[in-house]
Amino acid sequence: MLALLGAGAALAQDVPIEGRVNINLGKDSPVALVGMSTGDSHSSSRGAALVLDLHMALTLRNTGASRIHGVALRVVSQEITVGGKGSVSIPSLNIGPGESFPIRIDMQLMRPTQVAGGPLVDVNLDGVLFEDLSCYGPDRLSSCRTLTAWDLEAQRDREHFKHILAQAGPKGLRQAMLDSIGRQSARPQLDVRVLRAPAVTSAALGPVHTEQFAFLDFPDSPLQPLDGWAQVAGNEARSPRIQVRNRSAQTIKYVELGWLVSDPGGQQYLAASLPASDPALYLPAGKTARVEQDTALRFTRAGQPVSIQGAVGFVSRVQFADGKLWVPSRADLERDSLVKVLPASAEEQRLNDLYLKRGLDALVQELKKY
Amino acid sequence: MKHPDQETLALHAGGDLGPIARWRARRHLARCAQCREEVAGFDQYRQLLPSLDDSQDVHWSRLAAEMKANIRLGLAAGECVSVAGPVWSGARVGVALASVAVLLATGVVLEHPGPTVARETGVVVQATADGVQVREGGQSMGLMHSGTNKEAVTYQVGAQGSVEARYVDAETGYVTVNKVDVE
């Protein structure tokens, strides 16, 4: 217990970190680094652990000929990262040729002993999405797919609010913004931990049972969920498996489902997204495949375990063999009150923030840009 | 609102509080985000302890047995050198029995199995008080959203082993998505 208390007290001796960060944007990159600051980055001791706080502010310039709609950076600490990697992405951009934009990266690295010399962190450009949905980058994190999906969601949600503006005027738009902000603040959330290795089976979790998935089947979805289940014990759900069928006329190469769970009171929460584990998925028209993951999810709220009852799945993202993507329509999300359980898209979040900070007129002007 | 002191929060994080104190701490934590963050911090450090603990191989039952044997040896030696008075005087028997009882009780307490807790082994990805983190043993890497109101951050988990935090950066004004993934 003394060690626990001692570990909580940070020692005051901070050491500045200089020249320990590598930035690599690629040789023919459409963005150039025009500024970088490591600010008050420092290292300190907490008990026997060494903690490094890295605060980086990068300024990138669009050196290409197309407008940039999104950027993803891959962030890895070779020495400290424990079988993990990170990324910092900026969706919902609208950066013209020659224009600059800032990106902040705040990292915290912790390990029990001193760190040897050499680079601490490598920051690599992983993807740049352009206005026409073409993409540049090594794409090691599938950033191009993610940035494209975010951009499709952005187009969908801008159209939704532009339609409200056209139909109901600024007052209607204001009400839609207030409804959106209210939904987000009232949205129920659970704290979820993902464990990659199987946890030690514990009597404390209670008996394990198989929970069958129910499905929300969007009529315009190219993929039909057929059957599925997950192993559930107390506040832990593991090894979800869902059988899906390609009901479109095109071959599918990537699928992702949303996974909702309920607590004993019947309150629904978004548990996780459930992407196909096979990176070489090839699902021709009419064929079936199984989406599965061998991980365990633990659910808590305010530090207390939340028992899981019920599982609901829905198709949230599909990529065809030609690279094109499908995301649910606004009408899909508003059916079955899904919009109350799911987080707002990045673009809706940005428009909410713009309305709160700069008002209705600024929001109307922003929507008119597109 | 009066907050529990650091020791109480640390004991709560370790599951070492008594029933009443635990109930009071839980009641406070349910409505105090600041203290929940403190407890989460202690919990994080507690994950480090196995890697810092050098004494986990101590075998308490063996230690208790050795101590008991030494006391028996001492009593036996005392019998050999005792020439005067009855060997099983009331006081001697009382002291010896009391010593053995204390040792046995200590052994039982130290070896008594506690409640089974599911330990998290392997790589864990999770949201923390001010970021998202991938952790294994005593090492971790986190992407932080320091300075952003936690209520304004949207967290999303990927069942393949990822967690992302999406927020509007107060300085840049751009939506920023920090994500950590298991390799």
Side-chain angles (χ1 to χ4, degrees):
Chain A
M1 187 50 63
L2 284 174
L4 177 62
L5 292 171
L11 297 182
Q13 192 174 6
D14 285 354
V15 181
I17 295 167
E18 296 292 341
R20 309 287 300 271
V21 179
N22 277 343
I23 310 281
N24 179 18
L25 300 179
K27 284 179 184 173
D28 54 348
S29 169
V31 291
L33 182 69
V34 293
M36 178 184 170
S37 154
T38 51
D40 57 349
S41 297
H42 61 278
S43 64
S44 57
S45 299
R46 278 188 202 166
L50 183 75
V51 179
L52 300 110
D53 284 296
L54 299 170
H55 304 282
M56 293 176 264
L58 313 180
T59 305
L60 304 182
R61 178 179 293 145
N62 179 359
T63 55
S66 305
R67 298 192 80 81
I68 289 175
H69 274 203
V71 170
L73 301 172
R74 181 170 172 269
V75 183
V76 181
S77 174
Q78 295 291 356
E79 190 183 354
I80 295 180
T81 302
V82 279
K85 58 186 181 291
S87 65
V88 176
S89 305
I90 315 290
S92 286
L93 285 174
N94 191 15
I95 308 294
E99 294 175 1
S100 298
F101 57 101
I103 297 180
R104 279 208 317 165
I105 303 173
D106 292 321
M107 292 183 75
Q108 189 175 77
L109 308 170
M110 180 160 63
R111 60 173 300 161
T113 53
Q114 289 289 328
V115 180
L120 272 175
V121 177
D122 289 298
V123 178
N124 300 297
L125 185 68
D126 199 59
V128 177
L129 184 76
F130 301 104
E131 187 176 20
D132 61 358
L133 299 188
S134 62
C135 194
Y136 164 91
D139 202 23
R140 289 181 60 182
L141 304 178
S142 300
S143 298
C144 287
R145 177 171 59 222
T146 307
L147 290 168
T148 306
W150 284 334
D151 208 65
L152 291 176
E153 290 171 354
Q155 290 174 27
R156 175 195 70 193
D157 291 342
R158 276 196 302 269
E159 284 307 313
H160 169 72
F161 289 113
K162 283 168 77 172
H163 179 72
I164 290 172
L165 179 62
Q167 295 290 310
K171 281 187 180 176
L173 181 61
R174 175 190 285 127
Q175 190 56 51
M177 277 291 121
L178 292 174
D179 290 346
S180 172
I181 293 162
R183 266 198 311 272
Q184 292 313 306
S185 58
R187 189 173 72 88
Q189 288 203 68
L190 289 177
D191 296 321
V192 187
R193 282 183 179 186
V194 189
L195 285 72
R196 188 59 181 264
V200 175
T201 304
S202 164
L205 287 173
V208 180
H209 69 279
T210 301
E211 189 76 48
Q212 289 287 328
F213 272 90
F215 294 105
L216 303 174
D217 189 6
F218 304 139
D220 60 332
S221 164
L223 200 69
Q224 180 187 16
L226 300 172
D227 187 23
W229 65 91
Q231 301 293 320
V232 173
N235 71 322
E236 182 176 295
R238 59 170 58 232
S239 307
R241 272 121 177 79
I242 295 178
Q243 192 81 6
V244 293
R245 187 175 70 87
N246 179 359
R247 63 182 172 199
S248 76
Q250 302 174 66
T251 298
I252 288 173
K253 71 171 185 180
Y254 177 79
V255 301
E256 189 173 308
L257 290 102
W259 178 8
L260 308 178
V261 295
S262 302
D263 66 14
Q267 176 66 61
Q268 253 184 352
Y269 305 86
L270 176 64
S273 62
L274 180 55
S277 56
D278 182 4
L281 177 74
Y282 183 83
L283 186 59
K287 298 293 182 188
T288 62
R290 194 156 77 171
V291 178
E292 58 188 347
Q293 292 291 342
D294 281 316
T295 49
L297 275 63
R298 289 218 180 124
F299 303 94
T300 57
R301 187 175 49 221
Q304 299 302 311
V306 174
S307 291
I308 296 309
Q309 295 179 352
V312 174
F314 61 92
V315 180
S316 59
R317 201 170 285 179
V318 174
Q319 187 173 32
F320 299 102
D322 64 2
K324 288 187 177 161
L325 274 153
W326 174 92
V327 295
S329 67
R330 195 82 195 187
D332 288 334
L333 298 181
E334 286 177 357
R335 273 187 336 120
D336 305 310
S337 300
L338 251 188
V339 77
K340 292 182 183 169
V341 184
L342 301 184
S345 70
E347 180 68 357
E348 189 168 340
Q349 197 172 5
R350 183 179 78 89
L351 296 175
N352 286 170
D353 186 74
L354 185 71
Y355 169 73
L356 287 172
K357 288 181 178 159
R358 294 174 50 199
L360 188 62
D361 289 344
L363 176 62
V364 171
Q365 293 307 313
E366 181 68 15
L367 288 173
K368 284 180 178 172
K369 286 182 189 170
Y370 294 91
Chain B
M1 189 186 331
K2 191 180 175 196
H3 300 281
D5 57 25
Q6 292 281 299
E7 287 79 2
T8 304
L9 294 176
L11 287 167
H12 181 74
D16 294 332
L17 282 179
I20 295 174
R22 184 167 64 239
W23 176 80
R24 291 180 62 187
R26 277 184 182 169
R27 198 160 149 259
H28 178 82
L29 289 170
R31 54 202 164 84
C32 179
Q34 184 188 339
C35 289
R36 282 201 300 277
E37 286 184 15
E38 286 284 337
V39 170
F42 281 123
D43 192 41
Q44 191 179 350
Y45 299 131
R46 195 156 56 87
Q47 305 298 331
L48 283 171
L49 288 182
S51 61
L52 306 175
D53 182 12
D54 293 322
S55 62
Q56 54 194 346
D57 293 334
V58 173
H59 203 297
W60 291 106
S61 60
R62 211 171 109 192
L63 194 62
E66 279 180 24
M67 289 171 70
K68 197 164 75 178
N70 284 334
I71 287 180
R72 278 185 176 155
L73 190 65
L75 288 172
E79 281 177 32
C80 293
V81 297
S82 171
V83 288
V87 172
W88 296 102
S89 72
R92 282 186 176 180
V93 170
V95 169
L97 288 176
S99 303
V100 171
V102 167
L103 274 171
L104 287 174
T106 307
V108 167
V109 167
L110 289 174
E111 282 293 302
H112 182 71
T116 311
V117 176
R119 294 191 62 177
E120 291 173 351
T121 56
V123 187
V124 177
V125 292
Q126 61 184 355
T128 60
D130 54 356
V132 290
Q133 179 191 69
V134 55
R135 171 170 61 77
E136 184 174 25
Q139 296 190 91
S140 70
M141 181 182 85
L143 288 166
M144 321 308 288
H145 42 76
S146 317
T148 304
N149 180 9
K150 197 179 180 188
E151 277 68 44
V153 181
T154 297
Y155 296 96
Q156 276 193 277
V157 169
Q160 81 282 15
S162 72
V163 60
E164 68 179 42
R166 175 153 50 83
Y167 58 98
V168 179
D169 189 301
E171 284 186 21
T172 66
Y174 293 128
V175 177
T176 302
V177 185
N178 290 339
K179 182 177 181 182
V180 289
D181 260 298
V182 178
E183 289 276 14

